[in-house]
Amino acid sequence: MSKHVQYQTQGTCSRMIDVVVSDDGVIEDLRFEGGCNGNLKGICTLVKGRKAQEVKDMLRGITCGNKGTSCPDQLSHALEEALG
């Protein structure tokens, strides 16, 4: 059974992250609501099929301008929630 998380982002142009992680920890589906369309489609394409833990660790702490967070950083928080 997969885990589906709808994560409300904070401090970014995107408003929500919809992610599905399989029981074996693989990102099955990912969608951002709002944000920079092309960049976020690229992120989704790059991480689908990869281990959620690996992606979480890789993206944590990335910032956008002076915001202190970014869409990739917020994805790491959504994945943390999905991994429980």
Side-chain angles (χ1 to χ4, degrees):
M1 181 134 205
S2 300
K3 176 128 186 209
H4 179 213
V5 170
Q6 291 183 314
Y7 183 81
Q8 201 75 31
T9 60
Q10 298 175 8
T12 62
C13 299
S14 64
R15 296 179 298 281
M16 187 187 70
I17 299 170
D18 194 359
V19 63
V20 178
V21 177
S22 69
D23 282 344
D24 59 348
V26 174
I27 299 170
E28 294 180 339
D29 196 26
L30 174 62
R31 185 179 59 82
F32 284 81
E33 186 176 298
C36 302
N37 190 35
N39 289 334
L40 297 175
K41 282 181 185 175
I43 289 170
C44 292
T45 300
L46 289 169
V47 304
K48 282 182 193 172
R50 296 186 70 174
K51 289 284 193 180
Q53 183 66 48
E54 176 188 355
V55 172
K56 179 183 85 78
D57 293 343
M58 185 173 31
L59 299 179
R60 181 59 58 99
I62 293 175
T63 59
C64 182
N66 61 356
K67 293 179 182 179
T69 189
S70 65
C71 292
D73 181 59
Q74 289 294 295
L75 175 56
S76 76
H77 292 278
L79 292 171
E80 185 170 345
E81 188 174 308
L83 292 168

